[in-house]
Amino acid sequence: MTSVLLICGSLQKVSSNRALLDVVRTRFTELRIETAESVDVGSVPAFNVDRAETPGSVVVDFRAQLVHSDAVVLSSPEYAAAIPGALKNALDWIVGSAELYTKPVAVLSAGTTGGEHARRQLIRSLTWQGAHVVAHLGVAAPRTKSDQAGRIVDPATIDEIEDLVDRILLALNGPAKELVEQTLAWAGVGVEHIAPARLPEA
Ligand SMILES: Cc1cc2nc3c(=O)[nH]c(=O)nc-3n(C[C@H](O)[C@H](O)[C@H](O)COP(=O)(O)O)c2cc1C
C-alpha cells in the first residue's frame, strides 16, 4: 500500500503547520492512501557525523519511517527567515544515509508571510539530499484561515492543499521531472541539481 510520511517542523502544541498536515492527511485518507506521522523532530539528538552509524533509536526509527514511505510531506514554520533548527537537524541525519534520494517530497509553510524563505531553504537543502521536491505551498496569516481549535477551515486554502496532494499523486504515478523543474524554478535552484532516477536493479 502507498504510504506518505508527514513531518512537522513545529514543536508547538497548537501548530498551524500541523493543521496543514491534518488537511493533507484527510485528503490522502479520502483517497485510501496511508499516512504516518514522523518522529517528533524535537526528540532527534543533535547531528554528529561521528555518530552517523550509531545514531540511537530515534534516528533509527526516523530513517526506517522514511524507507517505508513512498512520498514525504513536510510543513514548517519560518523563524527569522529560515527553517527551525530542530527540523534542519533531523534532516541532517539523513544526508549520508540518503533515504530521501529520488523520493517525491512536498513542502508547506504556514507563517506570518507564508514562509517563503523557509520553503526556498527547504527546497534547496532537500534537493541537495537528492529529494525530488514536486510541490510547495505557503499559507500566510494561518490563524485567519483556522477555526478556534486551530483547524484549517478556509475553503481556498483547503483547495490549494488538495492541489498539492494531486501533484504528489502525479509524481507517484509517473515521471516527476516537470513538477520538480517547476518547483526548483520558483526556488531559484538549478535543474542540474536534480538527482537522476535510480537505475532498475539488474
Ligand atoms: C521566533 C520567531 C520568529 C519568527 N520569524 C518569522 C519569519 O521570519 N517569517 C515569518 O513568516 N514568520 C515568522 N514567525 C511566525 C511563525 O512562522 C508563525 O508563528 C507560524 O505560524 C508558526 O508555526 P506553527 O504555528 O506551526 O508553530 C516567527 C515566529 C517566531 C516565534
Side-chain angles (χ1 to χ4, degrees):
M1 187 181 186
T2 303
S3 182
V4 178
L5 188 67
L6 310 178
I7 303 177
C8 184
S10 173
L11 308 185
Q12 282 203 92
K13 239 183 237 151
V14 180
S15 155
S16 301
N17 284 283
R18 189 161 289 106
L20 296 187
L21 291 177
D22 287 341
V23 180
V24 171
R25 179 188 300 104
T26 300
R27 185 62 184 145
F28 276 122
T29 305
E30 284 167 2
L31 297 166
R32 298 178 190 282
I33 289 176
E34 177 185 277
T35 59
E37 181 138 351
S38 80
V39 299
D40 174 5
V41 296
S43 67
V44 176
F47 176 61
N48 182 342
V49 177
D50 291 341
R51 294 189 52 205
E53 303 303 322
T54 53
S57 62
V58 177
V59 174
V60 169
D61 289 350
F62 183 44
R63 287 176 175 167
Q65 287 182 316
L66 287 160
V67 168
H68 179 70
S69 67
D70 300 291
V72 174
V73 181
L74 291 109
S75 192
S76 175
E78 176 173 297
Y79 295 147
I83 60 170
L87 177 60
K88 179 65 168 67
N89 175 61
L91 295 174
D92 286 344
W93 279 104
I94 54 169
V95 176
S97 46
E99 285 82 4
L100 282 179
Y101 194 82
T102 71
K103 193 158 284 195
V105 174
V107 166
L108 299 99
S109 183
T112 313
T113 57
E116 197 172 316
H117 301 291
R119 280 180 286 139
R120 285 187 207 283
Q121 187 189 2
L122 267 174
I123 292 166
R124 178 178 300 274
S125 189
L126 290 165
T127 300
W128 251 248
Q129 297 206 18
H132 286 167
V133 189
V134 295
H136 70 98
L137 175 65
V139 177
R143 295 283 153 92
T144 66
K145 291 157 184 167
S146 313
D147 65 12
Q148 290 215 318
R151 288 180 294 247
I152 301 289
V153 288
D154 174 50
T157 304
I158 292 171
D159 281 352
E160 286 177 329
I161 295 172
E162 290 182 355
D163 288 347
L164 175 131
V165 167
D166 285 347
R167 288 177 71 100
I168 299 167
L169 293 175
L170 275 177
L172 284 168
N173 290 318
K177 191 165 174 277
E178 202 176 314
L179 302 173
V180 179
E181 284 174 355
Q182 289 166 357
T183 309
L184 297 198
W186 177 84
V189 177
V191 292
E192 69 276 14
H193 297 292
I194 301 175
R198 286 182 205 274
L199 294 173
E201 301 278 331

